[in-house]
Amino acid sequence: MARGSTRPTSRDVAQAAGVSQAAVSLVLGDKWRGRVSETTAQRVREAARDLGYRPNLAARNLRLGRTRTVLLVVPALTTEFFAGVYTGATRVAAEHGFGVVLYPSPEGIGPARDPFASAQAALDGVIASSMAADALTAIRGEALPLVMLDSDPAGSLGAATVNLDIADGVRQVAEHLLSLGHRRFLHLAADVPSWTFEVRARELAARLAGVPGTSVRTARSPISIEGAVAAAETALSGPGPRPTAVVCDDDQLAAGTYKAARRLGLRVPDDLSVTGLDDLALATAIDPELTTVRLDAELFGERGMRALLAVLEGREPEGGDIPVSLVVRGSTAPPGRP
């Protein structure tokens, strides 16, 4: 194409690659698998890149009746975990010509309850965390193709569910603390009615019940450092033998436990071992650094977006929970004095 001429078209790409315009549409629309060869697809992509071709998405979307926009519904933007989920989802979305609109739950710090006059008309699909499921009704998102994150697969509202292997993370925490010799536990549980926190409580109780001589108390706290300070201080200063290990549902709860321990004259980990879950930046900012379960938030977002694309295309989403791993740092040690 001569320099200075109009922008390249799909016909130019087809001529450069030696294929039909239909083949170009299939390849650049990511619908080529099983229809054209990998070699042909690569040739089309190279021709489009060399020509600087960009599809006219507005016209294409009008033809398809799609906006190529996805809504990501999260509880709130109070930790970097959901920022990671958003980053992963947008990375995959961009590869397929989709945009992602972030909508914090109405209970968080987000916009008005209905960000669209009609969600069905403005969106192709929704990815939602179970912690923000109430927002789906407010935006009528349950009527759209829906992928749920961190949700009970047996009772999910969505066409697909993507989960981290939280149960295994809790088992890893319990086994680590048991191997150090701990038998008196405090579970500082997130005071949030969500499946993911129910799993944590259930798995911890089940694992500890299998070891003779163990005991576990439960204290509930909002997911905030301030709330955790109050809840942990009350629980640790209560009657009876003091727990030697605190299992926290979240790294923020663990940070609050550190402050509560300090107020009570307890040292971490000499007098009290503490574990978290998430592996936020906070985990290495506190001293001693926190033993916690690392969750790959970006991979979580990527898998959520890939699952939604599969639903939109009538394919079966990838199965299996996303693995998690325990990161052992300085906040855990064998129990100290009785």
Side-chain angles (χ1 to χ4, degrees):
M1 189 175 62
R3 184 180 300 275
S5 63
T6 58
R7 59 182 287 177
T9 66
S10 61
R11 179 178 300 172
D12 297 322
V13 176
Q15 289 176 347
V19 299
S20 67
Q21 280 185 264
V24 171
S25 296
L26 287 172
V27 172
L28 299 184
D30 201 28
K31 305 254 186 206
W32 59 272
R33 292 172 182 82
R35 302 186 188 184
V36 302
S37 69
E38 173 71 49
T39 301
T40 298
Q42 182 62 27
R43 197 162 68 244
V44 169
R45 286 192 291 263
E46 289 175 355
R49 185 177 62 248
D50 292 345
L51 291 171
Y53 172 73
R54 296 289 182 273
N56 186 337
L57 291 179
R60 182 174 186 270
N61 294 340
L62 188 62
R63 289 196 308 274
L64 295 176
R66 285 187 174 184
T67 63
R68 300 188 79 79
T69 302
V70 170
L71 192 68
L72 174 62
V73 185
V74 299
L77 299 180
T78 52
T79 74
E80 76 254 28
F81 179 80
F82 288 105
V85 172
Y86 174 74
T87 299
T90 54
R91 181 185 299 124
V92 172
E95 293 172 357
H96 294 81
F98 278 75
V100 178
V101 176
L102 185 63
Y103 179 62
S105 164
E107 301 306 316
I109 57 173
R113 291 186 67 85
D114 191 350
F116 301 97
S118 172
Q120 292 95 323
L123 301 167
D124 286 331
V126 177
I127 304 170
S129 161
S130 64
M131 290 175 63
D134 288 347
L136 294 175
T137 301
I139 61 173
R140 299 183 296 280
E142 76 279 4
L144 290 158
L146 172 65
V147 168
M148 293 297 297
L149 307 179
D150 245 356
S151 300
D152 183 356
S156 175
L157 298 170
T161 305
V162 177
N163 284 321
L164 294 151
D165 198 347
I166 296 294
D168 184 56
V170 173
R171 285 191 291 268
Q172 291 180 52
V173 167
E175 288 164 9
H176 170 64
L177 292 171
L178 288 167
S179 71
L180 291 173
H182 292 279
R183 294 297 181 269
R184 297 196 304 274
F185 294 84
L186 170 65
H187 177 205
L188 191 58
D191 191 13
V192 176
S194 173
W195 174 81
T196 185
F197 294 119
E198 293 171 4
V199 167
R200 297 168 207 213
R202 183 172 63 244
E203 288 298 325
L204 182 63
R207 182 67 185 88
L208 298 183
V211 179
T214 61
S215 63
V216 58
R217 304 179 197 169
T218 299
R220 299 194 177 278
S221 168
I223 302 179
S224 71
I225 294 175
E226 296 76 14
V229 172
E233 187 171 3
T234 299
L236 292 172
S237 57
R242 190 184 67 242
T244 62
V246 184
V247 178
C248 300
D249 274 354
D250 176 272
D251 289 354
Q252 293 184 82
L253 301 187
T257 301
Y258 274 44
K259 295 183 73 172
R262 191 175 302 114
R263 290 184 183 182
L264 296 171
L266 302 174
R267 297 166 298 168
V268 177
D270 299 351
D271 305 311
L272 191 70
S273 286
V274 180
T275 65
L277 201 149
D278 272 346
D279 199 24
L280 306 176
L282 176 65
T284 53
I286 54 180
D287 186 31
E289 294 186 356
L290 181 65
T291 294
T292 187
V293 177
R294 177 172 294 159
L295 309 181
D296 192 333
E298 291 193 19
L299 179 58
F300 198 24
E302 288 180 7
R303 281 278 299 273
M305 188 65 212
R306 292 191 193 283
L308 183 57
L309 290 171
V311 170
L312 292 172
E313 295 173 3
R315 295 184 287 107
E316 187 69 24
E318 180 181 353
D321 291 347
I322 299 171
V324 302
S325 58
L326 179 68
V327 182
V328 177
R329 299 192 180 102
S331 68
T332 49
R337 63 179 183 269

